[in-house]
């Protein structure tokens, strides 16, 4: 306990104890005059302490009030000198109740303005987020070219009114996150975007053409691709006879998407001697939505490119999760078809056919069916096209 507080609160008991002991000893030895004297001294000491207690009570009240004042001053000083802009406002109309100097400087004000609302100083501000139980404003607020992340909470108002019934206000803390957000935007802008470009009809375009014409056609297509990609500061490389890889930064993605039809039209303008126009299919994938590594990103773009070809060619498509799920499902089904073909896991069902005239049996129709390892019946309309693509249709036919 504080020494001053102890002196004010704790009574001086030592004198009382000594007098009581002296009186008890006098009575024990039958020295009654001394006992009466000790009793008188106790009464006198008690009267003096009563007078002194009133003085100590006054001093104690002053001591407590001084400590409360110092605590309130420290609290007020903490808010005023807080390094972040702070504002307290009424919830019903965003009117400012109190704001520190940093807040008004942030808003471009030279002095304190308690006649304004936060929504007047910061037009995009809205206080409903506090009523929804949130402690962070859903978006960044831009003020004079700086970006601020807004944090806050509800506080109890000491000025409750019966008419309004509003007993809460909002306190907000404004954190300047401009540099952080600029770094975040730059990081996101440098994320890679990969595109796989394939010439859909390369074989048809080059068929029966002399080597010189083939080179001219290929160069014409490549020149158009290079010219188109040059606007996005990326790089284009041919990695197969009819395929190109293009990689650029995310900052160019929107312009890349906006110009998707121009490259299709430009490549389509390349035509061979028999009137066949070149066409391209382009699959585009973006990090990290489509992949977590460079190899996965390129593979994802290639998956989208094949999906693009299967949907009619001569177009551009962009990665999304359903495309990847469909591809993985088709790969799994392809492997199951190969395994079922090797293990002869098919069954045949025979359906009789009759002559319509006399209803005599004319033969049987053999229907192939397949139940996978999980017990699911796979329709022939699903696995037959897959078997035709992967070459399993021949051994299946031999087995039938």
């Amino acid at each position: 306990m504080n020494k001053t507080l102890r002196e004010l609160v704790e009574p001086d008991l030592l004198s009382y104890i000594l007098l009581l002991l002296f009186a008890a000893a006098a009575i024990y030895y039958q020295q009654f005059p001394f006992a009466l004297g000790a009793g008188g001294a106790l009464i006198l000491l008690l009267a003096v302490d009563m007078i002194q207690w009133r003085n100590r009570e006054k001093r104690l009240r002053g001591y407590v009030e001084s400590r409360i004042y110092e605590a309130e001053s420290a609290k007020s000083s903490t808010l005023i000198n807080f390094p972040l802009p702070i504002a307290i406002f009424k919830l019903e109309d965003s009117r400012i109740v109190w704001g520190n100097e940093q807040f008004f400087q942030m808003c471009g004000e030279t002095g304190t303005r308690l006649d304004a609302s936060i929504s007047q100083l910061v037009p995009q501000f809205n206080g409903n987020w506090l009523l929804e139980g949130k402690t962070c404003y859903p978006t960044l607020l831009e003020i004079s070219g700086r970006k601020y992340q807004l944090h806050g909470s509800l506080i109890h108002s000491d000025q409750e009114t019966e008419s309004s019934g509003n007993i809460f206000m909002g306190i907000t803390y404004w954190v300047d996150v401009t540099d952080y957000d600029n770094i975040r935007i730059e990081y996101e802008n440098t994320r890679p975007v990969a595109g796989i470009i394939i010439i859909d009809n390369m074989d048809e375009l080059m068929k029966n053409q002399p080597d010189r014409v083939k080179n001219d056609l290929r160069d014409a297509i490549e020149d158009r691709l290079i010219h188109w990609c040059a606007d996005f500061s990326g790089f284009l490389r041919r990695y197969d006879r009819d395929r190109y890889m293009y990689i650029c930064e995310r900052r160019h993605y929107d312009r890349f998407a906006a110009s998707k039809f121009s490259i299709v039209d430009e490549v389509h303008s390349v035509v061979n001697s028999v009137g066949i126009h070149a066409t391209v299919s382009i699959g585009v994938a973006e990090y990290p939505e489509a992949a977590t590594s460079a190899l996965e990103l390129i593979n994802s773009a290639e998956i989208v490119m094949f999906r693009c070809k299967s949907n009619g060619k001569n177009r551009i498509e962009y990665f999304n999760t359903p495309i990847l799920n469909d591809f993985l499902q088709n790969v799994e089904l392809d492997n199951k078809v190969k395994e079922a073909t090797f293990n002869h896991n098919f069954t045949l069902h025979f359906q009789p056919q009759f002559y319509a005239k006399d209803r005599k049996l004319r033969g049987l129709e053999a229907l192939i069916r397949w139940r996978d390892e999980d017990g699911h019946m796979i329709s022939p309309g699903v696995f037959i096209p897959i078997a035709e693509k992967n070459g399993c249709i021949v051994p299946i036919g031999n087995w039938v």
Side-chain angles (χ1 to χ4, degrees):
M1 184 183 295
N2 184 282
K3 181 179 179 181
T4 302
L5 187 61
R6 185 186 299 111
E7 292 175 353
L8 294 174
V9 174
E10 293 182 354
D12 184 10
L13 299 178
L14 181 60
S15 299
Y16 289 94
I17 294 173
L18 291 175
L19 286 173
L20 287 173
L21 290 175
F22 181 79
I27 294 173
Y28 179 79
Y29 290 106
Q30 297 183 356
Q31 299 294 325
F32 297 108
F34 290 104
L36 290 174
L42 279 172
I43 294 173
L44 182 62
L45 181 61
L46 182 62
V48 172
D49 275 349
M50 290 289 293
I51 297 173
Q52 290 181 347
W53 171 249
R54 292 181 181 180
N55 293 331
R56 285 202 303 269
E57 185 180 10
K58 292 180 181 179
R59 292 173 58 193
L60 178 62
R61 188 181 298 111
Y63 176 81
V64 173
E65 289 177 355
S66 67
R67 289 297 178 266
I68 293 175
Y69 174 77
E70 291 175 2
E72 291 296 329
S73 299
K75 178 180 177 183
S76 176
S77 177
T78 299
L79 286 176
I80 293 174
N81 298 319
F82 199 71
L84 297 177
I86 300 178
I88 300 175
F89 66 96
K90 295 181 179 179
L91 291 175
E92 63 269 19
D93 55 6
S94 299
R95 188 163 297 279
I96 299 173
V97 177
W98 179 87
N100 62 1
E101 183 179 356
Q102 290 88 336
F103 172 76
F104 291 104
Q105 289 179 351
M106 175 191 72
C107 297
E109 299 292 330
T110 55
T112 301
R113 285 193 57 189
L114 300 182
D115 61 334
S117 64
I118 296 183
S119 57
Q120 289 177 333
L121 301 179
V122 186
Q124 63 268 40
F125 175 84
N126 188 304
N128 292 335
W129 55 287
L130 288 175
L131 297 175
E132 296 171 357
K134 300 176 181 178
T135 58
C136 183
Y137 199 77
T139 61
L140 297 184
L141 296 177
E142 186 168 346
I143 305 173
S144 302
R146 306 294 295 179
K147 302 174 187 176
Y148 293 86
Q149 176 68 66
L150 185 56
H151 301 268
S153 61
L154 295 176
I155 58 175
H156 194 277
S157 173
D158 294 332
Q159 300 178 350
E160 179 181 357
T161 60
E162 295 182 358
S163 59
S164 65
N166 294 317
I167 62 174
F168 290 103
M169 296 186 296
I171 182 169
T172 54
Y173 307 87
W174 304 67
V175 183
D176 190 339
V177 295
T178 306
D179 295 336
Y180 164 78
D181 193 60
N182 290 340
I183 293 173
R184 178 190 62 81
I185 292 175
E186 180 62 21
Y187 167 73
E188 292 180 354
N189 284 336
T190 56
R191 291 176 175 177
V193 175
I196 299 298
I197 306 170
I198 186 171
I199 303 173
D200 298 320
N201 56 346
M202 174 66 85
D203 292 335
E204 186 181 10
L205 194 66
M206 303 298 181
K207 186 177 180 180
N208 298 326
Q209 301 293 327
D211 291 341
R212 180 183 57 81
V213 175
K214 290 180 181 179
N215 293 333
D216 291 342
L217 291 172
R218 186 181 295 109
D219 291 343
I221 295 173
E222 191 165 314
D223 288 343
R224 284 162 173 76
L225 292 175
I226 292 174
H227 179 74
W228 178 64
C229 295
D231 294 336
F232 311 120
S233 302
F235 69 89
L236 177 75
R237 294 292 184 271
R238 186 171 60 140
Y239 70 96
D240 204 347
R241 174 174 170 269
D242 55 354
R243 299 181 191 182
Y244 296 83
M245 178 192 305
Y246 172 68
I247 296 179
C248 69
E249 291 183 340
R250 176 62 180 80
R251 70 179 79 249
H252 306 295
Y253 182 82
D254 293 336
R255 291 194 299 116
F256 181 91
S259 64
K260 61 182 181 180
F261 296 110
S262 64
I263 185 58
V264 172
D265 294 338
E266 289 177 13
V267 173
H268 193 263
S269 65
V270 178
V271 58
N272 66 6
S273 58
V274 295
I276 297 175
H277 292 266
T279 63
V280 292
S281 293
I282 304 176
V284 181
E286 179 185 357
Y287 175 90
E289 286 78 4
T292 57
S293 66
L295 182 59
E296 288 181 4
L297 184 66
I298 295 172
N299 289 338
S300 296
E302 195 166 30
I303 290 171
V304 180
M305 181 269 293
F306 284 120
R307 171 67 175 267
C308 186
K309 287 194 66 175
S310 64
N311 286 343
K313 303 179 181 180
N314 200 34
R315 55 196 295 167
I316 296 180
E317 289 193 11
Y318 300 89
F319 176 87
N320 57 54
T321 303
I323 290 179
L324 180 60
N325 292 339
D326 290 344
F327 173 79
L328 295 176
Q329 185 177 358
N330 289 335
V331 170
E332 181 181 8
L333 193 57
D334 183 270
N335 293 331
K336 285 185 176 181
V337 169
K338 292 177 180 178
E339 183 178 355
T341 302
F342 180 79
N343 296 326
H344 298 161
N345 290 340
F346 301 101
T347 58
L348 287 178
H349 296 253
F350 296 94
Q351 178 173 305
Q353 293 184 345
F354 300 88
Y355 289 105
K357 184 177 181 180
D358 53 10
R359 296 186 178 181
K360 289 184 178 181
L361 182 67
R362 64 181 294 267
L364 298 173
E365 180 181 9
L367 304 176
I368 188 169
R369 294 294 182 264
W370 174 37
R371 189 184 298 274
D372 65 10
E373 295 178 351
D374 298 327
H376 301 136
M377 185 65 73
I378 310 299
S379 170
V382 174
F383 70 83
I384 291 297
I386 295 177
E388 291 175 343
K389 289 182 179 179
N390 62 19
C392 290
I393 193 65
V394 174
I396 290 177
N398 294 334
W399 177 84
V400 170

